Amino acid sequence: MSRNPLIITCSPVGAEVMKKDNPAVPYTPAEIAREAIAAVQAGASIVHLHAREEDGSPSQRTALFAEAIRLIRQEVDVIIQISTGGAVTATPDERLQPVRELDPAPEMASLTLGTVNFGNDVFWNPPDLIETFAKEFQERGIKPELEIFEAGMMTTAQRLVKKGLLTGPLHLDFVLGVPGAMAGTPSNLMYLVSQLPQDATWTVAGIGAAELKLGAMAIALGGHVRVGFEDNVFYRKGEPATGNAQLVARIARLAAELDRPVATAEEARALLKMPQRSLA
Ligand code: KMH
Ligand code: ZN
């Protein structure tokens, strides 16, 4: 393995962004798989997966996830990370559906560590919900990516470790720049990095224009980077990205200049202390 490979996570579509925001936003499993495969070929080693119904509405239906995963796995090896955040309108049971029903279980899934304002909505994650989700992950051997929208969520991570509901080394994703939550500023990222638990790995998902700026910082700081249409649909101000791969490729180029070659899926599993498993 090279010295300090960079894990690029691509989130090709979230629950909020629509084709009217960028016509390249994928909805169907086939469209999502196409975007994901191109992102992997451009350097991503984790795909954070949301699903949509055909009309573009957010969905946690297992069949949609299963079809996207099948199509992705036909072409590339990549760590699939299921979203358990879903949409703010989804119930806890809906959010957990793909985690409970996918067979085999996904290697990774996202786990948000607290309730947070989310634009004009509230992303609801009270303590008992977080604990239920963490237990479901543990039962299935799913590695959580801990989504940190606010600094207090770091304390929750430590509390869950003490309760035995999370086992290190932890992997955290600093999601910065959601309207209503912690802003996407360099000083906020530096603060969160200064609070990292021992042995933790981390990535950063900057929202909108913060994606590139914070991604560049993470490369320099030894962290990892998430990009994709869930977080940002522009290549630069006023210029929609042609696809998720364009955003991934830019991070891969910056990383190469800074001596951080992109990690393969196998290297990413080793860096995150996950079992090597080929699910092809
Ligand atoms: N769509 C947001 C409400 C996650 O994927 O785990 C939550 C979200 C986080 O996207
Ligand atoms: Zn997400």
Side-chain angles (χ1 to χ4, degrees), residues 11 13-16 48-50 60 81-89 95 109-112 118 122-125 145 147 149 175 226 230-231:
S11 180
V13 66
E16 294 81 22
H48 171 83
L49 214 56
H50 284 254
Q60 290 292 105
Q81 180 192 103
I82 297 299
S83 167
T84 68
V88 291
T89 47
R95 287 166 58 181
S110 58
L111 176 61
T112 295
F118 199 89
V122 176
F123 182 28
W124 187 246
N125 297 290
E145 181 178 271
E147 309 279 328
F149 290 69
V175 186
R226 176 173 117 171
E230 174 168 4
D231 306 326

Side-chain angles (χ1 to χ4, degrees), residues 129-241:
L129 177 146
I130 299 170
E131 294 192 6
T132 302
F133 279 34
K135 280 183 199 144
E136 299 259 1
F137 284 34
Q138 273 189 337
E139 281 166 23
R140 294 167 179 80
I142 299 171
K143 170 112 181 173
E145 181 178 271
L146 305 172
E147 309 279 328
I148 307 293
F149 290 69
E150 291 284 0
M153 295 185 188
M154 304 280 278
T155 314
T156 299
Q158 305 278 23
R159 188 171 53 78
L160 292 176
V161 170
K162 283 205 187 92
K163 286 185 128 180
L165 292 171
L166 291 178
T167 317
L170 305 181
H171 181 61
L172 295 93
D173 177 22
F174 301 130
V175 186
L176 297 179
V178 169
M182 208 168 174
T185 61
S187 56
N188 280 345
L189 179 60
M190 292 309 294
Y191 174 71
L192 293 171
V193 169
S194 78
Q195 301 299 305
L196 278 170
Q198 225 186 352
D199 299 335
T201 50
W202 63 277
T203 189
V204 66
I207 306 301
E211 180 177 88
L212 178 59
K213 185 172 57 183
L214 298 185
M217 277 182 73
I219 296 169
L221 291 169
H224 302 283
V225 180
R226 176 173 117 171
V227 293
F229 283 173
E230 174 168 4
D231 306 326
N232 166 48
V233 294
F234 290 100
Y235 189 71
R236 54 173 75 86
K237 195 172 163 59
E239 183 184 325

